[in-house]
Amino acid sequence: MNLKPIMSVIFSRQLNARFIPLINKLIIAALLLLLVGCTEQNSQPAFPNNAKGKHVQSFSQAKRILKDVYHDNTYSLYCNCRYLQRGKKLVPDLNSCGYQARKNAKRAARIEWEHIMPASYFGQRMSCWQQGGRKNCRRESELFRRMEADLHNLAPAIGEVNGDRSNFGFGNIRGESRRYGQCDMEIDFKKDLAEPPVRVRGDIARVYLYMARKYHISLSKNEQEQFTQWAKRDPVSRWEREKAKRVARFQDGPTPVDKNSQHNVF
């Protein structure tokens, strides 16, 4: 009797029983690595379609450009205070809006460029932020630099209000506990929430919806509903359209006043 075929089958079954589990483990590990890679990639904001178009190189450059963009509309976003340029500094006229410093008079005496959608809002979703915060993203990520310098997302604000708002989200705060004199800007430090004046809620909403659409940033369901409603209740103003035209000289792509930027689908 020839035992060779029988022994070959037995040996092959033993070999398969020994190595198939190992092969299966290797396949599973490879699939997990692929999934993690895809998840990491999808969690990052993507470049807009006009990645090769005109764009501002840095936040510092953006601030210089915005002085020109706002040269004849020198009012702060939240408090509607007039401001003047003295040398390189922008100085608010606090009497023009009845502003009273809450705590930081020194910072209240200057205008700063406020990120309507905070840099941390989009930055913390990026691996560069997780590995070293804002400074690291400025060094390592061209995408972050473009987002941080997006001219549509920047507006002049009283320095103290900019600092107090920090990276808080926008929403409705019960009551009228004003902290800045006649400036109708409310901040709840316990809930990390800011309530802007009604007159600029549409402006703010359209910027959020624009940033979300352009850079593929997911907004929460509550944010989507709130900003969509704010945008409808406070229509596009003449200044918003004018700013969009002026920004187009320095930056290509969509704007917050485009119809397709005013409605979010994420």
Side-chain angles (χ1 to χ4, degrees):
M1 180 178 180
N2 187 359
L3 297 178
K4 262 188 175 184
I6 298 173
M7 292 301 295
S8 176
V9 170
I10 293 172
F11 180 74
S12 114
R13 285 181 179 175
Q14 289 176 341
L15 194 63
N16 287 341
R18 182 177 177 183
F19 286 103
I20 284 178
L22 178 60
I23 293 171
N24 287 339
K25 288 180 180 179
L26 290 172
I27 292 173
I28 291 170
L31 289 172
L32 285 173
L33 285 172
L34 182 61
L35 179 62
V36 169
C38 291
T39 303
E40 169 71 13
Q41 184 177 6
N42 291 335
S43 68
Q44 307 267 339
F47 269 111
N49 293 331
N50 61 312
K52 295 182 180 179
K54 289 184 296 184
H55 63 276
V56 183
Q57 300 290 333
S58 67
F59 182 36
S60 297
Q61 183 187 17
K63 289 187 284 187
R64 291 192 296 270
I65 291 171
L66 286 166
K67 287 181 181 180
D68 179 55
V69 170
Y70 278 84
H71 75 276
D72 58 352
N73 192 69
T74 53
Y75 292 89
S76 65
L77 175 65
Y78 304 121
C79 301
N80 205 34
C81 297
R82 288 293 306 269
Y83 65 85
L84 304 171
Q85 182 165 345
R86 293 178 183 170
K88 294 183 179 180
K89 296 181 179 180
L90 300 178
V91 181
D93 177 3
L94 302 183
N95 291 327
S96 70
C97 58
Y99 185 92
Q100 293 178 8
R102 179 187 71 85
K103 187 177 180 180
N104 193 335
K106 184 176 180 180
R107 197 164 179 182
R110 68 184 187 228
I111 289 292
E112 298 176 356
W113 293 101
E114 159 88 317
H115 283 89
I116 295 173
M117 175 184 279
S120 62
Y121 189 97
F122 49 79
Q124 65 186 2
R125 303 164 189 247
M126 306 174 73
S127 59
C128 61
W129 190 282
Q130 296 160 14
Q131 295 167 7
R134 189 170 185 166
K135 289 183 179 180
N136 187 56
C137 278
R138 283 177 174 172
R139 286 193 302 267
E140 303 295 335
S141 174
E142 181 183 355
L143 172 57
F144 178 82
R145 291 192 294 273
R146 291 193 187 190
M147 296 170 76
E148 186 187 34
D150 193 303
L151 299 176
H152 294 297
N153 188 40
L154 292 163
I158 300 293
E160 182 181 38
V161 176
N162 183 29
D164 284 356
R165 186 253 166 152
S166 184
N167 61 353
F168 296 170
F170 289 110
N172 297 313
I173 298 173
R174 287 188 177 183
E176 288 289 327
S177 179
R178 296 188 181 179
R179 301 169 181 265
Y180 309 101
Q182 295 177 27
C183 175
D184 187 15
M185 178 69 168
E186 298 170 40
I187 297 177
D188 189 328
F189 295 99
K190 293 182 179 179
K191 295 182 179 179
D192 293 355
L193 191 65
E195 183 182 84
V198 174
R199 62 176 177 77
V200 293
R201 289 181 186 175
D203 307 51
I204 289 168
R206 282 181 280 276
V207 168
Y208 260 84
L209 296 174
Y210 153 80
M211 291 290 288
R213 182 173 291 278
K214 180 175 181 179
Y215 299 105
H216 306 287
I217 302 170
S218 295
L219 301 179
S220 71
K221 183 178 179 181
N222 287 339
E223 287 173 325
Q224 292 178 42
E225 293 175 353
Q226 173 181 275
F227 291 136
T228 300
Q229 287 300 315
W230 282 10
K232 289 179 180 178
R233 291 172 183 170
D234 177 24
V236 177
S237 67
R238 182 180 298 177
W239 166 245
E240 286 178 89
R241 296 189 188 282
E242 180 60 29
K243 180 185 176 182
K245 290 179 182 177
R246 295 180 185 185
V247 167
R249 303 201 309 265
F250 308 97
Q251 179 179 310
D252 286 337
T255 76
V257 301
D258 297 339
K259 288 185 178 180
N260 64 348
S261 291
Q262 296 176 38
H263 302 284
N264 194 12
V265 296
F266 296 104

